[in-house]
């Protein structure tokens, strides 16, 4: 397909060399197919890039993939847009199809990290069916377990400087002057999603949806429960032990 080919002469030598070195480093690594499950603020988003780099995996966030498929006007993306335009939820079959497409990319050669999917047992079953057709299975489900009270303290204390994106925390990283950005002196804001009331609602929904999914994978013996309330480096060490 000449239309989608890349002219390697146009790519800087440094970029080509870096990619070649990355592929050489990744070549001996075993394949891994992982699912990350955790409530907002559990540190899932912090650990994911570390896992991705250390194991040469691709990161599949279903929301991002859906938007990309719609933007690229792939056949599945067009179907997804039709559902969205009608105000309907995108069907499980469509989402699994988009994951199936994404898995074929060179960046997913050594496996993937699935983030944000599956959210229900029905989705988990459809995912398993698709993977089975490809001769692949989920190797490990990382459950970022953390007490709701710890999450509330983590999230409801977050304040941001909208213009720069700088973030502060009333307990863990407070600004020099309460409510004011250290650099500009401008006021800080709290995002609507970071209030205790919104968090409580999101956590109730999360627990209701995902507990059955965790139980589904527990029966297969592939769930690793992480102590996500620990410091970042401790959780990273725990993940490394689980995946070694």
């Amino acid at each position: 397909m000449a239309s989608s080919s890349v002219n390697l002469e146009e790519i800087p030598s440094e970029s080509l060399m870096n990619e070649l070195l990355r592929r050489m480093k990744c070549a001996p690594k075993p394949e891994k197919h992982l699912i990350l499950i955790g409530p907002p603020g559990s540190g899932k988003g912090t650990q994911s890039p570390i896992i991705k780099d250390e194991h040469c995996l691709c990161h599949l966030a279903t929301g991002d993939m859906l938007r990309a498929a719609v933007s690229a006007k792939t056949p599945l993306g067009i179907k997804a847009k039709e559902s969205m335009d009608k105000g309907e939820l995108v069907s499980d079959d469509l989402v699994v199809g988009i994951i199936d497409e994404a898995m074929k990319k060179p960046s997913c050669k050594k496996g993937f990290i699935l983030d944000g999917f599956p959210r229900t047992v029905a989705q988990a079953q459809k995912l398993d069916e698709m993977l089975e057709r490809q001769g692949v299975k989920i190797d490990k489900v990382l459950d970022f377990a953390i007490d709701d009270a710890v999450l509330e303290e983590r999230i409801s204390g977050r304040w941001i400087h909208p213009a720069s994106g700088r973030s502060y925390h009333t307990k863990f990283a407070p600004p020099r002057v309460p409510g004011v950005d250290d650099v500009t002196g401008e006021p800080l804001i709290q995002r609507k999603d970071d209030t205790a009331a919104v968090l409580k609602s999101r956590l109730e929904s999360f627990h209701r949806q995902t507990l059955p999914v965790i139980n589904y994978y527990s029966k297969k013996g592939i769930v690793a429960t992480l102590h996500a309330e620990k410091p970042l480096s401790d959780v990273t060490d725990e993940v490394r032990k689980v995946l070694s």
Side-chain angles (χ1 to χ4, degrees):
M1 294 193 296
S3 60
S4 62
S5 63
V6 175
N7 183 356
L8 296 179
E9 291 176 357
E10 300 298 323
I11 298 174
S13 300
E14 188 180 351
S15 300
L16 280 173
M17 189 58 70
N18 287 341
E19 177 58 17
L20 185 61
L21 289 170
R22 187 192 69 80
R23 293 195 185 195
M24 286 168 66
K25 182 194 81 169
C26 292
K29 291 190 182 283
E31 285 188 22
K32 278 187 170 60
H33 304 90
L34 311 175
I35 293 173
L36 270 51
I37 294 178
S42 62
K44 191 165 51 93
T46 305
Q47 298 296 334
S48 180
I50 300 170
I51 300 167
K52 174 180 178 282
D53 291 344
E54 290 187 357
H55 297 276
C56 300
L57 308 177
C58 64
H59 178 250
L60 303 180
T62 46
D64 294 343
M65 289 157 58
L66 269 172
R67 284 186 286 274
V70 169
S71 176
K73 297 184 177 168
T74 68
L76 288 173
I78 290 166
K79 285 183 183 173
K81 188 173 188 301
E82 286 170 5
S83 298
M84 290 171 175
D85 288 346
K86 290 177 191 165
E88 298 170 355
L89 288 173
V90 177
S91 75
D92 294 346
D93 288 327
L94 264 178
V95 178
V96 169
I98 285 170
I99 293 168
D100 189 1
E101 272 185 356
M103 283 173 60
K104 297 179 173 74
K105 292 178 181 174
S107 60
C108 295
K109 185 177 168 59
K110 288 294 177 180
F112 58 72
I113 299 167
L114 251 182
D115 187 358
F117 192 91
R119 291 179 188 269
T120 66
V121 171
Q123 290 175 348
Q125 289 167 335
K126 284 182 186 291
L127 176 67
D128 280 350
E129 287 164 14
M130 180 273 284
L131 294 175
E132 197 176 331
R133 289 195 295 273
Q134 296 205 25
V136 172
K137 64 179 182 10
I138 297 297
D139 299 299
K140 199 63 85 176
V141 176
L142 302 182
D143 174 20
F144 286 74
I146 185 166
D147 191 85
D148 287 359
V150 176
L151 278 179
E152 187 174 332
E153 183 178 52
R154 274 189 189 179
I155 290 179
S156 59
R158 289 198 302 210
W159 290 78
I160 63 162
H161 177 241
S164 67
R166 272 186 293 279
S167 64
Y168 299 87
H169 192 282
T170 49
K171 179 177 179 182
F172 305 116
R176 285 195 289 269
V177 178
V180 174
D181 178 48
D182 286 353
V183 179
T184 63
E186 293 168 352
L188 302 175
I189 65 157
Q190 190 168 43
R191 288 187 299 215
K192 289 198 294 280
D193 285 357
D194 287 349
T195 62
V198 172
L199 177 65
K200 186 171 183 288
S201 165
R202 288 174 75 192
L203 287 174
E204 282 172 1
S205 170
F206 170 80
H207 293 311
R208 190 172 57 249
Q209 279 189 323
T210 56
L211 191 59
V213 176
I214 291 168
N215 290 340
Y216 171 82
Y217 286 115
S218 291
K219 287 172 187 166
K220 295 173 180 280
I222 57 172
V223 173
T225 303
L226 305 170
H227 300 89
E229 78 286 347
K230 288 184 177 178
L232 166 67
S233 58
D234 290 0
V235 179
T236 303
D237 289 343
E238 219 175 312
V239 170
R240 283 181 179 138
K241 280 177 193 157
V242 165
L243 298 180
S244 63

